[in-house]
Amino acid sequence: DQHYTSLVKRVLFLINDPPVAEDIVQEVLLDFWNRKAWLSITVKIETYLSKAVAFKCIDYLRKHKSVTNVALSNNIDDASDLLGIVDRTALQEQISKAINMLPPQCRTIFLLSRYEELSNKEIAAQLGISVKTVENQMTKALKILRKELWDDYNALLFLLF
């Protein structure tokens, strides 16, 4: 109950379909509950759940790539609305691919900063590294992401980041 609303909001940012967002969060919470006896979590519960939800969203987007499924799930009536959803879905897939291409430490720091909304100091404390290392890794991550995503989505990327 404590984390449900914030998790649904995060999913809505990626999926923009309230029933699907609620289902994804319920799946993650149920899976967490079923595995809690043997699960060993070394990060904050919020961080763990947010990452689990993000991965579940990526899985959902991969399974539901077709324009028809996206259109039906969002009750699209207008062709321009459909193009907007296709563009948003394509952008989300591009961003996910680009993030996955980041070096492991760089990716972890980026995700903690942008998706978990942790400060550089909090990230440094959580990972046991210096604040300066966090800053350098964030700079590196943003540089790589800009390079990977700039050509097709420069305006959207600017708004997103």
Side-chain angles (χ1 to χ4, degrees):
D1 290 341
Q2 182 180 357
H3 305 290
Y4 181 82
T5 304
S6 65
L7 292 172
V8 170
K9 287 179 183 178
R10 288 179 191 270
V11 175
L12 283 171
F13 175 76
L14 294 170
I15 306 264
N16 197 28
D17 186 349
V20 171
E22 291 173 1
D23 288 346
I24 287 173
V25 171
Q26 284 293 336
E27 282 181 45
V28 168
L29 292 173
L30 182 62
D31 185 48
F32 173 75
W33 184 259
N34 289 335
R35 297 184 313 145
K36 71 179 174 143
W38 56 269
L39 198 58
S40 174
I41 300 176
T42 59
V43 295
K44 291 181 186 177
I45 189 71
E46 297 87 2
T47 302
Y48 175 85
L49 291 173
S50 292
K51 283 184 180 182
V53 163
F55 288 127
K56 202 58 114 167
C57 286
I58 291 168
D59 289 343
Y60 174 84
L61 291 171
R62 284 183 185 143
K63 289 176 186 172
H64 297 87
K65 282 184 183 178
S66 79
V67 173
T68 306
N69 287 342
V70 174
L72 290 175
S73 69
N74 289 290
N75 297 321
I76 302 304
D77 297 324
D78 187 287
S80 63
D81 289 342
L82 181 59
L83 289 174
I85 287 174
V86 170
D87 287 344
R88 185 173 57 239
T89 302
L91 175 62
Q92 290 165 347
E93 287 178 12
Q94 291 280 66
I95 291 170
S96 294
K97 286 178 187 175
I99 290 171
N100 287 331
M101 290 174 52
L102 294 172
Q105 184 180 29
C106 194
R107 180 177 50 244
T108 300
I109 290 170
F110 177 81
L111 292 172
L112 289 173
S113 173
R114 294 302 194 248
Y115 290 97
E116 303 307 318
E117 301 174 3
L118 297 179
S119 69
N120 289 351
K121 187 176 179 181
E122 292 170 323
I123 295 169
Q126 185 172 333
L127 297 178
I129 58 178
S130 73
V131 174
K132 189 67 175 169
T133 300
V134 172
E135 292 169 359
N136 290 338
Q137 291 293 312
M138 277 302 296
T139 300
K140 180 178 178 180
L142 293 173
K143 182 178 178 181
I144 292 169
L145 292 174
R146 275 189 214 105
K147 181 180 176 188
E148 290 297 320
L149 300 169
W150 189 258
D151 292 337
D152 296 329
Y153 299 106
N154 56 9
L156 292 173
L157 184 64
F158 175 77
L159 291 174
L160 181 64
F161 293 113

